[in-house]
């Protein structure tokens, strides 16, 4: 049976059924985020230690303590009585969003799956696993790069400036870096999905290679909080490699389709 002859569940769904399904997926996603946020609220002390460590690593050895992550010169300074509470709420909220990412991706897939043909649904498991793995790989790269980005930014200011960060500004920087890198690492999934769905042709991706480099750098400059040269290079290079990987996937897929057509 050809793809044109295949029937999809979406074709038999009314607009109201679509809206009902969308609402159900959103509710499940919100519940997952809420559960993750509660868990992060409880685990806040350990999460804060984890998020503060890149700051401590960026400081000169003389400013660190030998036994603790939280030491003199390696603390965040609250500027008003309500800041500790707002910081804990932010950490719990963003942490819940990150923890719920596998559920969010699954709910997104479940919403769009009825509109796909059976040969397109075969990629479901691979896309889901790859999407989750790439997001956390990007988050890990962000965590690795944060101390180096802080050192780079600190060096630009000179030795007369001492870094005493406020909690909201520092943690906002770290969380935005993690989310930016995690989302950026979803780039190949998006490009491959567009090719599988027939929205973008592989030849089109090959034809705009030169512009893709500029576009990727511009996109990274927008989604990263600092936009410094170090961060731009750390994220732009893997994103361009992902672009080439998506092109390679499309070539292999097109060749297989040609061989299959010739054999019939």
């Amino acid at each position: 049976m050809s793809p044109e002859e295949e029937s999809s569940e979406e074709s038999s769904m009314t607009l109201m059924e679509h809206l009902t399904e969308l609402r159900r997926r959103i509710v499940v996603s919100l519940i997952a985020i809420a559960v993750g946020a509660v868990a992060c609220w409880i685990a806040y002390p350990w999460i804060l230690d984890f998020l503060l460590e890149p700051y401590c690593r960026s400081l000169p050895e003389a400013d660190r303590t030998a036994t603790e992550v939280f030491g003199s010169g390696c603390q965040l300074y609250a500027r008003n009585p309500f800041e500790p509470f707002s910081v804990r709420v932010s950490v719990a909220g963003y942490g819940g969003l990150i923890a719920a990412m596998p559920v969010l991706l699954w709910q997104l897939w479940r919403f769009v799956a009825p509109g796909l043909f059976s040969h397109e649904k075969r990629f479901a498991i691979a896309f889901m696993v790859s999407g989750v793995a790439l997001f956390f790989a990007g988050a890990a790269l962000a965590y690795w790069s944060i101390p180096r980005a802080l050192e780079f930014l600190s060096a630009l200011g000179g030795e007369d400036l001492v870094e005493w960060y406020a909690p909201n500004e520092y943690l906002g920087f770290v969380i935005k870096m993690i989310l930016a890198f995690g989302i950026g690492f979803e780039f190949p999934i998006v490009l491959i999905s567009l090719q599988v769905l027939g929205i973008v042709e592989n030849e089109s991706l090959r034809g705009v290679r030169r512009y893709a480099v500029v576009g990727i750098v511009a996109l990274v400059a927008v989604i990263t909080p600092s936009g410094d040269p170090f961060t731009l290079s750390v994220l732009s290079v893997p994103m361009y490699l992902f672009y080439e990987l998506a092109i390679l996937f499309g070539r292999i897929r097109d060749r297989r389709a040609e061989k299959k057509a010739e054999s019939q």
Side-chain angles (χ1 to χ4, degrees):
M1 182 183 299
S2 65
E4 291 76 9
E5 295 173 336
E6 294 180 17
S7 61
S8 66
E9 297 176 19
E10 186 175 347
S11 61
S12 61
M13 294 177 67
T14 65
L15 176 61
M16 186 58 64
E17 288 173 334
H18 277 299
L19 294 176
T20 301
E21 179 69 8
L22 176 61
R23 182 181 63 181
R24 187 162 72 91
R25 299 300 172 191
I26 292 176
V27 169
V28 173
S29 299
L30 292 176
I31 291 175
I33 294 174
V35 172
V38 171
C40 291
W41 178 278
I42 296 172
Y44 169 78
W46 296 278
I47 296 175
L48 187 60
D49 283 353
F50 179 77
L51 296 178
L52 190 61
E53 189 172 354
Y55 170 41
C56 299
R57 290 180 181 176
S58 70
L59 295 174
E61 290 291 339
D63 293 339
R64 306 180 195 174
T65 60
T67 59
E68 297 180 352
V69 172
F70 276 69
S72 61
C74 187
Q75 295 173 320
L76 302 178
Y77 294 87
R79 296 170 297 184
N80 63 72
F82 301 103
E83 195 162 16
F85 174 75
S86 65
V87 167
R88 188 160 188 159
V89 170
S90 297
V91 169
Y94 283 110
L97 178 64
I98 294 173
M101 192 58 61
V103 177
L104 300 183
L105 291 175
W106 177 249
Q107 293 303 313
L108 175 62
W109 168 256
R110 292 294 297 166
F111 178 70
V112 302
L116 303 179
F117 297 116
S118 59
H119 71 282
E120 296 169 339
K121 295 180 181 179
R122 292 180 301 178
F123 295 95
I125 301 300
F127 281 173
M128 288 302 305
V129 174
S130 299
V132 173
L134 285 172
F135 179 87
F136 286 105
L141 180 60
Y143 189 79
W144 172 85
S145 67
I146 288 171
R148 294 152 182 85
L150 291 175
E151 291 173 3
F152 177 84
L153 295 171
S154 176
L156 290 178
E159 297 181 355
D160 293 332
L161 298 182
V162 178
E163 292 77 28
W164 283 6
Y165 298 134
N168 278 321
E169 282 75 7
Y170 170 75
L171 294 176
F173 170 78
V174 172
I175 292 171
K176 288 175 183 176
M177 283 280 287
I178 291 174
L179 288 176
F181 275 66
I183 294 172
F185 267 52
E186 298 297 313
F187 191 49
I189 302 297
V190 174
L191 292 180
I192 291 174
S193 298
L194 292 176
Q195 291 182 83
V196 170
L197 297 176
I199 299 175
V200 174
E201 297 294 332
N202 185 260
E203 184 177 352
S204 299
L205 293 179
R206 297 198 304 268
V208 297
R209 265 195 179 103
R210 291 176 296 177
Y211 306 102
V213 176
V214 178
I216 288 171
V217 174
L219 176 63
V220 172
V222 171
I223 66 175
T224 53
S226 64
D228 62 275
F230 178 81
T231 303
L232 285 177
S233 62
V234 169
L235 184 54
S236 297
V237 170
M239 284 188 67
Y240 182 74
L241 293 177
F242 288 147
Y243 186 86
E244 292 293 338
L245 180 64
I247 290 178
L248 178 61
F249 170 87
R251 281 182 173 178
I252 295 174
R253 180 172 174 269
D254 290 345
R255 288 174 183 173
R256 288 181 177 178
E258 291 174 0
K259 290 181 179 179
K260 184 176 181 180
E262 293 173 356
S263 61
Q264 291 178 350

